[in-house]
Structure formats: structure tokens, C-alpha cells
Amino acid sequence: MSKQMRDAAVRAAADFGAANDLVDEAAAGAIGVNRTDLRILGLISEHGPLSAAALAGAAKLSPAATTTAIQRLAAAGHLTRTVDENDRRRAVVALTPGAEELIGRVYGPVERAGRRVLAAYSPEELALITGFLRRGIDMQLAEADRIRTMTA
């Protein structure tokens, strides 16, 4: 592979990430939350109801920051807090029906558009794309961990 092709792929990946960032910025504005709160809503939307501890781990936030975000999102009507049926000492947070509907209105068309784009690819090409994205996710998460350990 030529340097020019590799550079074009690197640029396209960076541009894709930047475009995704713009979608999330617009989504946060439409939902009326900040980016951290949007990430929390997305995690609960993806995984279903979560304990505060599980949510903090998934969001890579401190327990205090997670609690603050949960309180903010509950006050805004986006989350409910209930007692875990299996462990009454734990609270579980879930999306409200209104939040589920709003997230669906915001991100549903994005998902459908993405599926239309992917429909143009063969199964072999989709396997290649999926592999690239999975390796890219692993790389990005490792880099985020590395950056978090840096001191100014």
C-alpha cells in the first residue's frame, strides 16, 4: 500500500470521527443535555437499565460525576431511579419513555441512513469494514486510557 493511500485512509477515518462528533453535538443540543449526559443516555439506551456503578464504569466517569449526571438527567425527566430487585441497596437507572422516544427521533434516522450506506457493500466488504472499525475502537479506547494518565 502506498503512503498516499494510507494517508487518505487516515484522513477519512479522522473525518468520519469528526462528522460523528458533529452528529453527537447536534443530538446533545436537540435533547437539551451536555455531551457527558448524552453518553450516559446512549449507554442506557444500548444496554438497558444499569446500576450507577455499572454506568460509571461504562462511561469512564467517577462515581461522584456519575451521580451528578444521574441527578441532572432525572431532574430533566430523562431517567428514572428505582431500587434493584436483587439488591435493595443498589439503585438502577433507566430511560423514561419520553427519553426513549426522543432518542429514537434523533438517532433513528441516523441509523437508517447508515444502514442504507452499508447496503451497497458485499458481505466480504462488510467483514473488512467491521474488522477495521473494531480494531479502531480498541485503538481509540487504549489511546483514551493513555491520555487520561497524562499529567499537564
Side-chain angles (χ1 to χ4, degrees), residues 8-82:
V10 167
R11 181 78 255 147
D15 291 347
F16 182 84
N20 185 71
D21 193 50
L22 290 174
V23 168
D24 284 346
E25 184 179 308
I31 295 170
V33 297
N34 65 41
R35 294 293 296 276
T36 298
D37 291 357
L38 181 68
R39 190 164 79 239
I40 286 174
L41 292 174
L43 288 165
I44 297 170
S45 179
E46 179 182 351
H47 299 289
L50 293 169
S51 70
L55 184 57
K60 306 273 193 215
L61 294 172
S62 70
T66 304
T67 298
T68 300
I70 289 169
Q71 291 170 341
R72 202 170 36 244
L73 289 165
H78 297 306
L79 293 181
T80 61
R81 284 180 286 200
T82 58

